[in-house]
């Protein structure tokens, strides 16, 4: 069943100033934002506000990037059948591993942009769980500079609503492999990673001998680096700035982190030197 991702509403458009100001009623297209609950082997692990669409990818990607699968394979993803899917508005998604994943701790409350991070102590825990990205040939700086133009021109939802983020996986040559949009930056990234996890036509960077980069249309927060690292991306390219904790994580992950990528000018925060 196709889900509505945007909604048209009548708004008052204000143009001009002073006596030349003009008010006009006109339709505007707004992004839809709805909660989605994610269950792992029947246990509620998260509820996130997301744009409907690619829900299975979002659920699978979240379970992977949060380290909840413990190496177990996903054997199925479905809308919850414990209640009628229509009554539940297709907002409950269940990821199944047949009980092979570690038993998750139920999580109350919503996933937010901060994603529950509390600082350097949790970064130490992350480093204990993940191994650094293997060293390889650096990404071409021209490829990094070109990524916003390559990705953002295909943002269909953003063009209609102006209120969603994009994430994309790209190759060393700059080919955009897939792109996803969502009202939440972290959701867009999880949808990209979930697609690579579930689609036989793709594979996670950690499962491939090739290098892949992750593009994000907003800032590079710690959660963006965490998710990229968990999936095995070698580079994160962001339109806006990173946080200090994200830079620390990228350096410890041996991951290239570029921010303020807007044309020919950008900053490389990790590694410390090129």
């Amino acid at each position: 069943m196709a889900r509505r991702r945007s909604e048209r509403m009548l708004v008052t458009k204000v143009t001009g100033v002073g006596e030349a100001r003009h008010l006009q009623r006109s339709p505007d297209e707004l992004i839809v934002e709805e909660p989605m609950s994610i269950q792992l082997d029947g246990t509620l692990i998260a509820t996130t506000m997301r744009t409907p669409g690619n829900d299975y990818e979002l659920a699978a990607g979240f379970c992977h990037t949060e380290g909840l699968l413990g190496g177990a394979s996903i054997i199925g993803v479905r809308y919850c059948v414990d209640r009628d899917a229509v009554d539940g508005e297709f907002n409950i998604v269940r990821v199944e591993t047949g009980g092979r994943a570690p038993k998750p701790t139920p999580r109350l409350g919503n996933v937010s942009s901060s994603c529950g991070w509390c600082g350097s102590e949790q970064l130490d825990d992350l480093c204990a769980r993940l191994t650094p990205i293997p060293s390889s040939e650096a990404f071409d700086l021209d490829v990094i500079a070109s990524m916003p133009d390559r990705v953002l021109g295909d943002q269909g939802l953003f063009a209609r609503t102006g209120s969603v983020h994009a994430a994309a996986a790209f190759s060393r040559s700059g080919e955009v492999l897939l792109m996803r949009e969502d009202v939440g930056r972290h959701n867009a990234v999880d949808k990209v990673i979930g697609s690579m996890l579930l689609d036989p036509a793709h594979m996670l960077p950690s499962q491939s001998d090739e290098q892949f980069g992750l593009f994000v249309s907003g800032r590079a927060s710690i959660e963006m680096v965490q998710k990229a690292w968990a999936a095995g991306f070698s580079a994160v390219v962001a339109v806006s700035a990173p946080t200090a904790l994200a830079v620390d994580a990228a350096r410890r992950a041996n991951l290239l982190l570029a921010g303020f990528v807007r044309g020919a000018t950008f900053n490389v925060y990790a590694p410390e030197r090129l």
Side-chain angles (χ1 to χ4, degrees):
M1 177 180 176
R3 300 298 309 282
R4 187 168 44 85
R5 307 187 72 191
S6 62
E7 179 178 341
R8 292 180 73 81
M9 292 184 173
L10 279 176
V11 302
T12 300
K13 180 175 288 188
V14 181
T15 58
V17 296
E19 295 182 357
R21 181 173 289 120
H22 178 66
L23 307 182
Q24 179 182 2
R25 294 280 283 168
S26 62
D28 192 21
E29 194 159 359
L30 305 179
I31 197 69
V32 170
E33 183 179 23
E34 293 180 355
M36 188 185 89
S37 295
I38 302 172
Q39 296 181 359
L40 177 58
D41 291 329
T43 299
L44 175 65
I45 55 171
T47 299
T48 184
M49 298 301 297
R50 99 310 188 184
T51 300
N54 308 109
D55 290 340
Y56 289 2
E57 296 175 357
L58 171 56
F62 179 86
C63 288
H64 180 83
T65 60
E66 294 298 312
L68 301 176
L69 297 177
S73 298
I74 294 175
I75 61 175
V77 186
R78 58 185 172 84
Y79 289 108
C80 185
V81 295
D82 294 337
R83 56 186 294 190
D84 187 89
V86 175
D87 290 342
E89 297 181 337
F90 293 90
N91 285 334
I92 304 173
V93 177
R94 186 165 180 166
V95 178
E96 299 282 0
T97 71
R100 295 179 178 85
K103 184 171 179 58
T105 301
R107 180 182 294 187
L108 301 178
N110 294 343
V111 175
S112 67
S113 60
S114 64
C115 213
W117 274 82
C118 57
S120 58
E121 183 175 335
Q122 192 167 348
L123 177 56
D124 290 338
D125 293 339
L126 182 66
C127 292
R129 177 166 65 88
L130 301 175
T131 57
I133 304 296
S135 297
S136 56
E137 185 179 353
F139 273 74
D140 188 285
L141 297 181
D142 287 337
V143 168
I144 293 174
S146 71
M147 291 321 301
D149 287 340
R150 294 182 189 230
V151 175
L152 299 181
D154 292 330
Q155 268 197 276
L157 272 179
F158 182 84
R160 299 202 306 270
T161 66
S163 59
V164 292
H165 289 282
F170 63 92
S171 67
R172 278 184 52 83
S173 65
E175 178 188 3
V176 178
L177 305 175
L178 62 107
M179 187 268 286
R180 294 290 183 266
E181 293 178 280
D182 197 278
V183 70
R185 292 173 299 111
H186 52 293
N187 291 339
V189 170
D190 279 336
K191 287 180 177 181
V192 166
I193 294 171
S195 176
M196 301 180 86
L197 187 66
L198 297 176
D199 186 350
H202 297 289
M203 62 174 60
L204 288 176
S206 59
Q207 302 168 336
S208 172
D209 293 331
E210 299 181 39
Q211 283 182 284
F212 297 99
L214 178 70
F215 172 85
V216 293
S217 63
R219 64 188 175 90
S221 62
I222 177 61
E223 61 187 338
M224 301 294 103
V225 173
Q226 170 204 334
K227 292 176 184 297
W229 187 1
F233 284 98
S234 300
V236 173
V237 175
V239 170
S240 297
T243 64
L245 191 60
V247 172
D248 189 7
R251 291 177 177 179
R252 294 171 74 171
N254 195 33
L255 185 154
L256 185 146
L257 175 59
F260 286 119
V261 183
R262 302 169 185 176
T265 302
F266 56 91
N267 295 336
V268 175
Y269 297 88
E272 295 183 60
R273 293 180 181 273
L274 292 178

